[in-house]
Amino acid sequence: MNFSIIASAQAETVNQVATAAPKMDPLHHFQVINYINIAPFGFDISISNSVLWMWIVVAVVFGLFRYSMRAPSLIPTRMQSVAEAGYLFVQGMIADIIGPSGKKFFPQIFTLFFFVLFCNWTGLIPGSFTVTSQLIVTGTLALAIFIFSIILGAYHHGWKFLGFFVPHGLPPVLLPLMVPIEIISFLARPVSLSVRLFANMTAGHTVLGVLFFFTATMAWFGAWLPFGFTVVFTGMEIFIGFIQAYIFTILTCVYINDSLHMH
Amino acid sequence: MEQSKTSSDSASKLEVSPVSTGNGMSMAMRMSTDMVSTIFVGGGIGYLIDYWSKTGPWFTIVFFLFGTAAGFRNIYRFAMADSARFAAERELKRANEASPQQESKDRVKP
C-alpha cells in the first residue's frame, strides 16, 4: 500500500520532469496520419503518409532504373552497372533456389525485392515514414505471396498438392501426429514472414529514435556518445534493411519453389 | 571460345557470392522467427477451436504443443538443408584440390 503510494508519487514527479524536458516518444514516427480522407461506401482508402511514401518508393525505384538504363551501352556507366548488379543479384537468387523454371517469376520477385528494399531504406531519411514498419503492409505482402503459392501449387499439382502435408517415408502410425505439425508450420509461413520484417524495422527505428532523443537532450560533454551510436546504428540499419529485403525475397523464392517442385 | 566459357563461369560465381555474404545473419533471423511463429499459430488455432466448440483448454494445450513441435521441425529441416549445402560445397572444394590445374582457376577463386 505504502509502496504503491510512493511509486505513484515517484511516477508523478518523473512525469513532471518528463513534461518539463522535451518529451521522449520514440514511437511517434510510426503514426499513420491521414492527409486526405476518402471513404466511399465505408471503405477507408484515405491518402495517409504510408500511402504517400509507398508512392514515393515506387517512383524512386522506377525513376532510378529508368535513369540508369536511359542509354544502355556495352560498357556500362556507374549507374548502369549498379542496376545490372541488382538485376543479376535477383536473377542469381532465383536460379539458385527455383532453377530454370523460376524465370517466369522474375518480374514479380524483382519488384518485390526492390520495393521492400527501398521501403526499408527511405525510412532512414529523417522525417520520412517507414512503410514496412506497419504490420498491415508486410502482412498484406506476405499473405499475397502465401495465397499465390497455394494457387500455384494447386494449379500445378491439383489435389496432389495436399500431399505437401505428408512427409516422405513416414510410417502411417505417425500420420495423425505429423500432419497437424506440417499444417501448422505451413500456416505459420505468412505470420513469420510479415512479423519478421515488421519487427526488425520497428525495433531498429525505435532504437534510433531513442538514441537521437538522448543526443538531443544530453549535455554537450555526454552527447557525443549516443551520437556515435546513432552513426553506427544508421549503418547497421542500412545493412539490416538489405538483409530483411533479402530474406523476404528469398523466402518468396522458397515458397514458390515448394509449390512448383513439391518436397 | 575456352576463354569466354571460363569468364562466364566466374561471372556466375560472382553473382552468387553476394547471396552467401549475408547468409549467416539471414539464417539466424529466419530460424528465430520461424520457431516462434509456429507456436503462436498453433496456440491460436487451438484457442479458436476451443472458442467455437467450448471444449475447455484442451485443444489450446494440444495445438500449442503441436505448434512447438512444428517450430522444432522447421529448425530441423532448415538445418538439415543447410548442412547438405555445406557438404556439397566441401565436396566441390575437395574436387578442386584433387585436380587443381583444370578447375581451380574458375572455381576456387571467388
Side-chain angles (χ1 to χ4, degrees):
Chain A
M1 189 63 201
N2 251 338
F3 277 119
S4 69
I5 288 170
I6 291 166
S8 66
Q10 269 175 350
E12 201 77 355
T13 49
V14 165
N15 272 344
Q16 276 165 8
V17 169
T19 44
K23 201 159 173 292
M24 175 148 150
D25 188 10
L27 299 177
H28 170 77
H29 57 280
F30 298 124
Q31 264 171 8
V32 177
I33 303 155
N34 281 358
Y35 293 140
I36 305 164
N37 283 312
I38 308 168
F41 312 114
F43 289 109
D44 187 14
I45 52 166
S46 308
I47 308 300
S48 61
N49 48 0
S50 175
V51 175
L52 182 71
W53 276 96
M54 267 187 248
W55 285 347
I56 291 173
V57 164
V58 171
V60 163
V61 175
F62 183 77
L64 214 61
F65 275 93
R66 287 300 290 199
Y67 175 76
S68 311
M69 304 306 285
R70 67 198 180 285
S73 60
L74 195 61
I75 301 156
T77 57
R78 236 178 308 172
M79 287 304 287
Q80 191 189 338
S81 59
V82 169
E84 282 174 1
Y87 186 95
L88 286 177
F89 179 72
V90 178
Q91 197 186 38
M93 197 148 65
I94 294 171
D96 247 22
I97 295 167
I98 310 182
S101 57
K103 215 170 241 175
K104 56 177 174 284
F105 304 107
F106 178 81
Q108 179 196 2
I109 292 165
F110 186 80
T111 313
L112 189 72
F113 176 72
F114 278 96
F115 180 70
V116 175
L117 183 70
F118 277 81
C119 282
N120 295 346
W121 278 355
T122 51
L124 286 170
I125 302 167
S128 73
F129 182 82
T130 320
V131 181
T132 41
S133 70
Q134 302 297 316
L135 188 55
I136 187 72
V137 174
T138 60
T140 308
L141 283 175
L143 262 184
I145 293 160
F146 182 67
I147 292 168
F148 174 73
S149 77
I150 291 175
I151 292 172
L152 196 69
Y155 177 75
H156 275 272
H157 301 285
W159 287 108
K160 273 191 212 153
F161 188 57
L162 288 176
F164 188 76
F165 298 123
V166 184
H168 270 302
L170 191 75
V173 187
L174 284 175
L175 272 183
L177 203 63
M178 285 309 285
V179 169
I181 288 176
E182 291 290 325
I183 289 174
I184 288 172
S185 89
F186 186 71
L187 290 179
R189 281 174 167 189
V191 177
S192 68
L193 195 60
S194 56
V195 168
R196 185 186 304 114
L197 181 58
F198 148 77
N200 269 289
M201 285 302 116
T202 310
H205 286 244
T206 309
V207 168
L208 271 182
V210 170
L211 286 172
F212 273 121
F213 174 80
F214 285 160
T215 311
T217 53
M218 214 176 252
W220 61 268
F221 52 85
W224 60 270
L225 191 64
F227 184 71
F229 277 127
T230 59
V231 173
V232 174
F233 256 87
T234 306
M236 183 82 179
E237 275 302 300
I238 291 172
F239 178 63
I240 285 189
F242 172 75
I243 285 282
Q244 289 306 322
Y246 169 65
I247 294 175
F248 204 88
T249 327
I250 213 161
L251 283 175
T252 308
C253 292
V254 167
Y255 297 161
I256 289 175
N257 180 45
D258 280 351
S259 297
L260 285 180
H261 325 104
M262 284 165 58
H263 294 297
Chain B
M1 189 64 205
E2 193 61 39
Q3 191 72 28
S4 73
K5 188 176 176 297
T6 50
S7 72
S8 77
D9 257 20
S10 63
S12 72
K13 267 288 148 198
L14 266 182
E15 76 201 37
V16 173
S17 69
V19 173
S20 59
T21 44
N23 237 342
M25 196 141 179
S26 69
M27 255 165 56
M29 285 178 177
R30 274 176 66 179
M31 276 191 173
S32 51
T33 38
D34 274 0
M35 199 168 160
V36 176
S37 65
T38 52
I39 297 175
F40 277 99
V41 169
I45 292 172
Y47 181 79
L48 283 181
I49 293 175
D50 272 344
Y51 184 77
W52 281 323
S53 62
K54 309 244 186 322
T55 42
W58 300 112
F59 275 105
T60 312
I61 293 169
V62 167
F63 273 84
F64 178 81
L65 293 176
F66 272 142
T68 315
F72 279 108
R73 169 134 180 89
N74 269 346
I75 303 292
Y76 174 76
R77 193 190 289 140
F78 193 58
M80 289 315 276
D82 206 61
S83 70
R85 197 171 55 81
F86 272 130
E89 266 172 22
R90 201 184 303 136
E91 206 61 32
L92 193 80
K93 213 171 180 183
R94 198 171 295 152
N96 283 345
E97 276 159 9
S99 55
Q101 59 272 62
Q102 302 166 330
E103 309 232 67
S104 70
K105 208 165 65 183
D106 52 357
R107 282 221 170 132
V108 167
K109 234 163 72 177

